[in-house]
Amino acid sequence: IVLLGNPPTTPGGQLEQPEQNIGLSEQIIQKDRGVAPPVKVQVPVKDVTPTGVTIGFAVTVTGCGADPITEGAAVLKHAIHLASVHGDLGGRYDYKMYAIYHPDGDRCAAPLKDLGYELIRRETPVAVKDIEGDFLRQNIEKNGCCGEKELVKLEAYTLVQHPIVVHLDLDVLILKPLDALFDWMLVDQEDLKAEYDTEGVPIMWPEMEKPTKVNAYFTRDYNMVGPERKYK
C-alpha cells in the first residue's frame, strides 16, 4: 500500500522547494565562499522552565531546647516569601513550608503551624540496631546535637508532590531567589535541542564541566571549609 500526499505549494500554486540539510562538506564550501555556517541557537534556561511550579521548603525539629524556635522559623519563612514569586526580589517560583518533627519536638513544633508551616510528625526512619555499617551504628546516637534523630531529615524525600524540596536549618536566611538552581534541575536538555544559555546564571567555577541534568545539590557552611581547599 502506498499512501500519497499532496505536495506543498505556495499561495501562487508553485511547488515549494524542500529545505536542504546542510552537511559538513557544504559548510566548508560556504566558509570558503565567505558564507557563515548556521549558528546554533542557545536557549536561556529560565525561558523553558515549567510554569506554576511550587517548591517545597522543609525544616526539621528533633526536640525542644531552652530557646524557642518560632523566631527563626518566622524569619526564614519571610525570607523565602520575599525570594519567591510573591516577593519583590524577582523570584519566579511559588513555595510551601513544611516542619518535619520528631515526637520529642511536639511542644515546640506546634507553634509553627500558625506561621504557615504544614506539620509532619515522623519517628526516626531507621532503628539504630538495623544500621549495617559498624561505625555509624556504634556512634550515631552520640553524634552532634541530636544523634539518630537527625535521620528524620530524610523524610524530606517523601514530599514527592513537589518536583524540588529544599531542606534548611532554622538559622538560615535566603537573601535572593534560588531560581538558577531550580531552573537547572527542572529543564531536561534533551528536550531543548540546544545548549543552555547561562548568561546571568552565577557559576562558581566556570572552568569546570557542568552537568546537563542535576538531581540534587548539597551545600555546607562556607566558613567551615578548610581555606587550603581549591573548591569549597
Side-chain angles (χ1 to χ4, degrees), residues 14 37 80 90 104 107 117 122 141 146 152 155 164 167 181 183 195 217 228:
Q14 300 295 323
I80 292 172
D104 290 349
R107 175 178 53 82
Y117 287 76
R122 292 288 187 269
E141 291 180 296
C146 313
V152 172
E155 293 290 341
I164 298 174
H167 187 281
L181 300 178
D183 291 344
E195 297 290 338
Y217 295 100
E228 71 281 357

Side-chain angles (χ1 to χ4, degrees), residues 60-221:
T60 300
V61 180
T62 55
C64 299
D67 297 325
I69 64 173
T70 50
E71 290 87 349
V75 171
L76 174 61
K77 181 178 182 293
H78 182 65
I80 292 172
H81 183 86
L82 293 179
S84 75
V85 69
H86 304 288
D88 55 4
L89 299 179
R92 292 178 282 107
Y93 291 95
D94 205 345
Y95 73 98
K96 182 174 175 59
M97 304 299 299
Y98 297 89
I100 306 170
Y101 67 98
H102 188 273
D104 290 349
D106 279 340
R107 175 178 53 82
C108 49
L112 301 189
K113 183 176 181 179
D114 293 335
L115 296 177
Y117 287 76
E118 181 175 325
L119 303 184
I120 302 175
R121 192 175 191 265
R122 292 288 187 269
E123 297 278 357
T124 305
V126 180
V128 174
K129 64 180 179 60
D130 294 332
I131 297 176
E132 295 182 359
D134 292 338
F135 180 84
L136 184 60
R137 184 177 63 256
Q138 295 167 7
N139 293 277
I140 191 171
E141 291 180 296
K142 55 181 180 290
N143 180 64
C145 70
C146 313
E148 76 282 1
K149 289 186 289 185
E150 289 277 12
L151 297 176
V152 172
K153 295 178 179 179
L154 296 174
E155 293 290 341
Y157 280 103
T158 66
L159 301 176
V160 295
Q161 63 270 36
H162 299 282
I164 298 174
V165 174
V166 183
H167 187 281
L168 298 169
D169 289 336
L170 283 169
D171 57 356
V172 170
L173 274 179
I174 302 297
L175 300 179
K176 58 183 179 180
L178 302 177
D179 291 13
L181 300 178
F182 301 152
D183 291 344
W184 215 296
M185 296 182 75
L186 290 172
V187 176
D188 187 350
Q189 190 173 15
E190 292 300 318
D191 294 335
L192 292 179
K193 306 303 181 186
E195 297 290 338
Y196 285 152
D197 178 3
T198 57
E199 183 179 355
V201 177
I203 305 295
M204 182 170 285
W205 303 296
E207 74 280 5
M208 296 183 67
E209 183 179 357
K210 294 177 285 295
T212 56
K213 182 62 177 177
V214 177
N215 293 312
Y217 295 100
F218 173 78
T219 65
R220 62 190 304 176
D221 293 343

